[in-house]
Structures are given as structure tokens and as C-alpha cells.
Amino acid sequence: MLNSVKAKNIIYAVVTVLLVAFSYVHVIFTDLLAVWLLVFSIIKIAKTKNNMLLLLQLFMLIYSVVPILYFILNIPISPHQYLDLNQKANMRLALQTQTVFVVAFLSWAPIESRYTFAGVFRPQKRHMAWLVSVLIMIGSLFFVNWRGVLSSMLKTYSIETESSIIFDYFMVFTAANYFFCDAKVKRAVNIFLAVMVSLICVLIGKRLTAVSLLLLVYILHYDGKLKKRTIILGFIAGTMLFNAIQFTRINQMPSLFNVLTGINIENGVFRSNSCDIWYASEVIVKLISEKVFDWGFRLKSFLGTFLNAFLPSSLTPKEALVNVYITENNLFPYTANGSLIGVSTYLWLSYPGVLLFAYLISLLIRKGMSSRGKLSTLYTVLILATFPRWYTYNPRILFKFAFVAGVVYLCVWIVASSEVTKNRVRKRTNEKK
């Protein structure tokens, strides 16, 4: 079931390829491609039986609406977009690459599986390992620049602190601790710490980090316990809440339209997080088309992203952080830290890269769902929980979390194994007596 590719998915792929090809010929096919991305997303949501993958698709659906605004309704999505004289062509390529990724990923991903992680993660009774992992969770927070965090809470939404990387890694510590939450009190501590950090992240503008942590809490503690309708209603309510917080944090009283859509209209321009991400993707496509990002840059970006998994940014090529590179070199007005994964993978390896990463990510999810190994399943959980980040920001988190999760997992299980050994030795000593 997890590895099957149904005939209808082949039909979806053929439709996508034809629309992508003909969109170079006439604008009507670009419009149809924009509609197809939205329609395909809705079709897949209707067919999805896996609650976690349903959440991810609902998130994807938000971003599939932007091409309708831009191509069908002719609404600008950034105040700087007029500076790009070839914006239609660049937005078209962004649409093409993202549609190819979405269709390929959802065709390969096990969305119709009813799999839940509850049966795999059965916490063990290891008091010392639980205590050590909790201390890691709490101790990591002492490395946060709390003065900077408090200052950020008083400033414009989305400003981040220099030490906020601790919040990014906190979900790895949370997952490691869960392996030993064999009692209600332990689970309550796990949930409390994760939710507390999520709230802090929301207040300082790290929305994606907050969402990822909350998704992790859902996977570990509640996956499979909610109905599909409840998931959808909860997602809508959560999105509206985040929209309201977003506008409140920029000192703007949100209207009903703001809360429902997350969009703010400024001089006829539709501004939202999803619109900014599409514009950021357009900028990257523009720099590729104009050869500013030549193949030398693109390969360095790919290599640097991989190396950044286990090396600090100071030791990796600057091309790895594309958004930072664009901003520091003033290549073009850039309003968002990110880009859609279809464009990011296109930057690395063109269309083969888009298909390759769509397949690899779906493969990792399938393997994690079919494997009994805790480490592989842990990595799958982190892939699913961090989906909002690698889908719209930077895929490097897929490499980085694989390394970090492996290290944390190994350290905690060394403690757990030593505890088991001590118990066995103590038991044998008592038996001899």
C-alpha cells in the first residue's frame, strides 16, 4: 500500500506535464496551470486518510491560492514586484516548478494510509534517561539570549534573536524526551515545555518554529485520536488565530478579512506570508534566468546546504543561505526569508532536482511508516513536523535535523542502555545474595 503508484496519479502527472509545456506557448495554459494546482490539492485532500499528511496538505493549500490571485485576478503580491520587468515569466516558472513538486510529492506520499505513530513510539520506563533528556530541554533554554527575546517581543513582528537557534533544536530534545515518557506526569511535562517554547516563538515572530513544535506535540501525543473533520476545523481555527496574532503584533487591529485570509491590502497590493514567499521565489527564479545564479553558484548552494547539516554556517559556502546572499549583496528587493521548495530544488538541480527531492522526501516518509526502527521513525516524525519550514523556507533543515536527531538520539540511548545494564547487575547481585 505504501509503495503503490495508482493509475490516476499517472494521469495527474500527464496533465501536469502538458500544462507546464503548453504554458510556454500561451498565457491561457498558465492560468489553467494555476487552477490545476488548486484543484489537484483539493482532490488529494479529499482522498487523504492520514491525519498528519492531511495537516500538511491544508498548509500547502494556502499557498496554492496565491497563483489564482496573481494569474487569474491580476493582483500584485508585493510592492517591489513592479521592479521585475519579466515578472510574468518568472512567476510562471515558479508556478511550474512548484506544481511539479506538489503533484510528484502527493502522488508518491502515502496519503491514503491510515498509519499512526502511536503504535511505534511506546515510551520505556527509564527514569534516568527521562531525567537527562528533560534536563537537556530545560538546560538548552539557559543558552537563549532572554534579554534579546524580551526586546523582540516589544518590536515589529518577525524580528528574531541571535540565539533563537536553540528554539529550532528544541523539538529534537522534545522528541528524544518522549521516548521515556511512560507516565502521565512525564507526558504532561513534555507537552508543557514544548507548548511554552511555542508560545515564546509566536511572540518573537518565529511562527514556523512554533507551528513545527505544535505539530510535533500532535504527532507524539494525539496522532490518530482526532477525526478528519476535527483536524480541518482545528486547522482553520488555528490559522485564523495566527493571522490575528500576526496583525496584532504589527500594531494593526485586524479586520474580519485579515483574520480569515491573512492578507493585508496595501495600495492594491495583496500582502501575506504566502504572497511574500511566492514573491521571494520569483526573485530567485529571476536571478537564475539572468545568470546571476549560474551553475557554479547553484552547485555551491546545493553542496553548502548539505554541509550545513553538520558544520556551522561560517564554514560552509555563503551560497548555501540564498536569502542571506541576496540581501547582503543587494541583488534585488527581497521581502521574505525563504522560497517554495519547488524553486529551491530547481535552483540546485533544475527539474531533475525537483522530482528527485519530491521522491526522496516521500520515500523517507514511507520508510519511516513501514520501519520498526525508532531512529528512522524519529526522522520521519521530524520531517513531518518541520514541513512548514522546508516547504516554504529552506530544505536544509531536512539534512540538519537528520544529523542533530541522530546525535541526540545516540546520547540519550547511551544513558538508557547504561541504566538497563546497572539494573541487570543490581538484579544479579541481589539474586546471589
Side-chain angles (χ1 to χ4, degrees):
M1 286 294 293
L2 293 180
N3 295 302
S4 62
V5 177
K6 297 183 178 180
K8 58 187 176 184
N9 287 329
I10 297 177
I11 297 175
Y12 297 149
V14 171
V15 171
T16 303
V17 170
L18 290 175
L19 287 176
V20 168
F22 284 113
S23 61
Y24 285 102
V25 179
H26 197 279
V27 67
I28 187 63
F29 293 103
T30 303
D31 294 345
L32 289 174
L33 184 62
V35 174
W36 170 241
L37 175 60
L38 180 63
V39 170
F40 176 82
S41 300
I42 294 173
I43 291 174
K44 285 298 183 179
I45 287 175
K47 296 291 183 179
T48 299
K49 299 176 183 178
N50 185 292
N51 283 351
M52 190 58 216
L53 289 173
L54 173 63
L55 279 170
L56 305 190
Q57 289 181 76
L58 290 171
F59 180 82
M60 293 166 67
L61 186 65
I62 294 175
Y63 289 83
S64 66
V65 173
V66 177
I68 300 295
L69 299 177
Y70 179 79
F71 290 105
I72 307 297
L73 302 179
N74 294 313
I75 296 173
I77 57 174
S78 171
H80 303 292
Q81 200 167 30
Y82 74 94
L83 295 173
D84 181 9
L85 300 180
N86 295 318
Q87 60 174 276
K88 284 289 183 180
N90 293 327
M91 277 292 290
R92 181 186 65 201
L93 183 53
L95 172 63
Q96 291 166 340
T97 57
Q98 187 60 20
T99 304
V100 168
F101 180 89
V102 170
V103 172
F105 174 70
L106 293 182
S107 295
W108 285 321
I111 61 174
E112 295 187 34
S113 168
R114 295 185 182 277
Y115 180 91
T116 62
F117 291 93
V120 177
F121 289 136
R122 295 180 180 177
Q124 297 189 15
K125 190 176 182 180
R126 301 282 184 266
H127 299 305
M128 183 58 67
W130 178 82
L131 180 60
V132 169
S133 55
V134 165
L135 290 177
I136 290 175
M137 294 174 72
I138 297 175
S140 67
L141 298 178
F142 285 95
F143 292 92
V144 173
N145 177 12
W146 288 105
R147 180 178 297 179
V149 168
L150 293 175
S151 176
S152 295
M153 290 181 183
L154 302 176
K155 296 180 180 179
T156 303
Y157 195 81
S158 80
I159 290 180
E160 301 179 4
T161 63
E162 293 181 0
S163 61
S164 62
I165 190 65
I166 295 297
F167 296 133
D168 295 330
Y169 290 142
F170 195 82
M171 63 187 307
V172 177
F173 308 147
T174 301
N177 173 255
Y178 178 79
F179 280 115
F180 311 104
C181 291
D182 61 304
K184 289 183 178 180
V185 174
K186 294 179 179 178
R187 289 193 290 272
V189 171
N190 183 277
I191 294 173
F192 171 77
L193 290 173
V195 172
M196 179 191 70
V197 171
S198 298
L199 178 60
I200 294 172
C201 289
V202 170
L203 294 178
I204 64 174
K206 293 181 68 66
R207 288 169 292 176
L208 294 183
T209 301
V211 171
S212 295
L213 255 174
L214 293 175
L215 284 175
L216 179 64
V217 170
Y218 167 77
I219 294 173
L220 296 177
H221 297 277
Y222 304 105
D223 189 33
K225 298 180 180 180
L226 302 176
K227 295 182 179 180
K228 186 174 182 178
R229 181 172 59 181
T230 304
I231 294 289
I232 295 175
L233 292 176
F235 178 85
I236 294 173
T239 300
M240 292 170 60
L241 176 61
F242 270 82
N243 289 341
I245 294 174
Q246 172 187 341
F247 285 100
T248 302
R249 289 291 285 114
I250 60 174
N251 299 319
Q252 177 179 329
M253 181 61 68
S255 65
L256 180 61
F257 176 80
N258 296 146
V259 174
L260 292 176
T261 66
I263 295 174
N264 195 29
I265 303 176
E266 302 174 358
N267 300 319
V269 177
F270 277 35
R271 294 293 308 278
S272 71
N273 181 65
S274 55
C275 289
D276 286 347
I277 293 298
W278 272 96
Y279 167 72
S281 301
E282 175 196 336
V283 171
I284 293 177
V285 168
K286 173 182 176 61
L287 297 174
I288 294 173
S289 301
E290 296 182 352
K291 308 299 181 183
V292 176
F293 290 167
D294 57 14
W295 275 109
F297 178 96
R298 297 166 76 173
L299 292 177
K300 286 180 182 178
S301 177
F302 175 66
L303 178 62
T305 301
F306 175 74
L307 292 176
N308 192 248
F310 45 87
L311 291 176
S313 298
S314 59
L315 297 180
T316 57
K318 294 182 179 180
E319 292 83 352
L321 299 176
V322 179
N323 57 310
V324 175
Y325 190 92
I326 293 174
T327 303
E328 290 183 347
N329 292 279
N330 296 316
L331 299 181
F332 203 79
Y334 195 79
T335 58
N337 287 335
S339 71
L340 294 164
I341 189 171
V343 173
S344 295
T345 51
Y346 178 85
L347 168 69
W348 292 341
L349 301 170
S350 195
Y351 276 113
V354 178
L355 293 172
L356 175 63
F357 277 88
Y359 175 74
L360 287 179
I361 296 171
S362 63
L363 177 64
L364 288 170
I365 293 174
R366 292 201 307 270
K367 290 295 183 182
M369 289 182 173
S370 60
S371 172
R372 293 185 179 181
K374 286 186 171 59
L375 183 56
S376 61
T377 307
L378 169 62
Y379 184 40
T380 297
V381 167
L382 292 175
I383 289 175
L384 293 172
T386 58
F387 177 87
R389 299 184 62 188
W390 56 257
Y391 187 79
T392 63
Y393 181 68
N394 194 321
R396 72 189 178 113
I397 197 170
L398 294 171
F399 303 107
K400 183 175 284 290
F401 268 33
F403 175 75
V404 175
V407 171
V408 173
Y409 179 90
L410 179 62
C411 292
V412 174
W413 272 100
I414 287 175
V415 175
S417 299
S418 63
E419 184 177 0
V420 172
T421 302
K422 289 180 181 179
N423 289 337
R424 288 177 178 175
V425 172
R426 189 182 298 111
K427 184 177 181 181
R428 290 175 182 175
T429 303
N430 292 334
E431 289 177 351
K432 290 180 179 180
K433 291 181 179 181

